[in-house]
Amino acid sequence: MNRLLIFLLMVALMVGCGDGKKPKDVADNQEVAVESQNEEKVAFPTYDFEGLEPLLHKEDDQTYIINFWATWCKPCLEELPHFERIREEQKNNNVKVILVSLDMPHMWKSRLEPYVKNKRIQSEVVILDDPKQNEWIPKVDEEWGGGIPATLIYNKEKRQFFEKGFTYEELNEALSKFIK
């Protein structure tokens, strides 16, 4: 009797869980997920490296601080307030801070946008979405091993790359070599 009840219960569960339709194959489901993700507008400009590269080589009268970071990188998050402070303190000295997010596409809406909003980040935020890291990393700096946080400080006269996290004092000292 118990076996019959268990059997009937299993049959009922199997019939109740199905919708009678033939399941889509996995590739179709993945394609739909990618399409819906790309259709959702992101709050920040998204570049491949070719699109980002001009931001790394401007020859105007500004000094640029380009920080490569991600919301999943704890040292990156620890140093971001220092970049914001420098941006505020140096905004009248032709210093521009650009935060280049290396977050993965599935994190843009769920982590990146809320983080920037909740922390009230005022620096320019852009997304680098280019899977060919082995090609673009040495174009940022030949010595860069690809680790983050990483920062490029440059102006039309000089440039310096740092593959490390900064304290406020270290960032301010590095920047002082670029501004007059």
Side-chain angles (χ1 to χ4, degrees):
M1 182 73 168
N2 285 341
R3 286 185 182 170
L4 180 59
L5 284 173
I6 292 172
F7 175 74
L8 290 174
L9 182 61
M10 289 178 68
V11 169
L13 284 172
M14 289 171 55
V15 171
C17 290
D19 62 3
K21 296 180 183 174
K22 182 180 175 185
K24 289 184 173 184
D25 72 36
V26 173
D28 288 343
N29 288 341
Q30 289 173 343
E31 186 174 308
V32 169
V34 169
E35 286 175 6
S36 66
Q37 185 178 51
N38 290 339
E39 289 174 10
E40 200 170 356
K41 184 97 171 104
V42 182
F44 310 109
T46 304
Y47 299 106
D48 60 7
F49 186 75
E50 186 177 318
L52 178 76
E53 195 168 21
L55 295 176
L56 308 179
H57 299 285
K58 292 189 175 272
E59 294 193 19
D60 54 22
D61 291 330
Q62 289 193 321
T63 296
Y64 292 88
I65 302 173
I66 313 289
N67 179 253
F68 294 87
W69 70 292
T71 59
W72 47 262
C73 168
K74 186 176 179 185
C76 299
L77 301 182
E78 289 171 352
E79 73 173 1
L80 277 182
H82 310 317
F83 287 90
E84 283 297 282
R85 183 174 169 190
I86 291 287
R87 183 203 60 81
E88 183 61 30
E89 292 173 354
Q90 299 293 336
K91 64 184 175 186
N92 295 326
N93 288 333
N94 284 334
V95 173
K96 183 168 186 173
V97 176
I98 301 175
L99 304 174
V100 180
S101 170
L102 299 179
D103 281 296
M104 290 160 251
H106 72 276
M107 301 171 119
W108 296 345
K109 298 296 274 178
S110 64
R111 290 186 65 164
L112 178 61
E113 285 184 13
Y115 183 84
V116 170
K117 181 179 179 184
N118 293 338
K119 297 296 183 180
R120 296 185 175 120
I121 293 177
Q122 299 299 308
S123 297
E124 181 178 349
V125 176
V126 301
I127 298 170
L128 177 55
D129 182 27
D130 193 326
K132 300 175 188 164
Q133 298 93 335
N134 290 339
E135 292 178 21
W136 62 258
I137 285 173
K139 291 179 183 177
V140 174
D141 186 86
E142 289 180 10
E143 301 299 316
W144 186 18
I148 57 174
T151 303
L152 171 66
I153 302 177
Y154 79 94
N155 58 29
K156 63 184 175 184
E157 296 169 10
K158 61 181 163 180
R159 64 193 300 120
Q160 190 171 1
F161 186 80
F162 305 87
E163 187 173 3
K164 65 181 221 122
F166 279 107
T167 64
Y168 169 77
E169 292 76 18
E170 291 169 335
L171 181 58
N172 202 28
E173 183 180 331
L175 178 61
S176 70
K177 298 172 184 167
F178 288 83
I179 56 178
K180 298 168 184 168

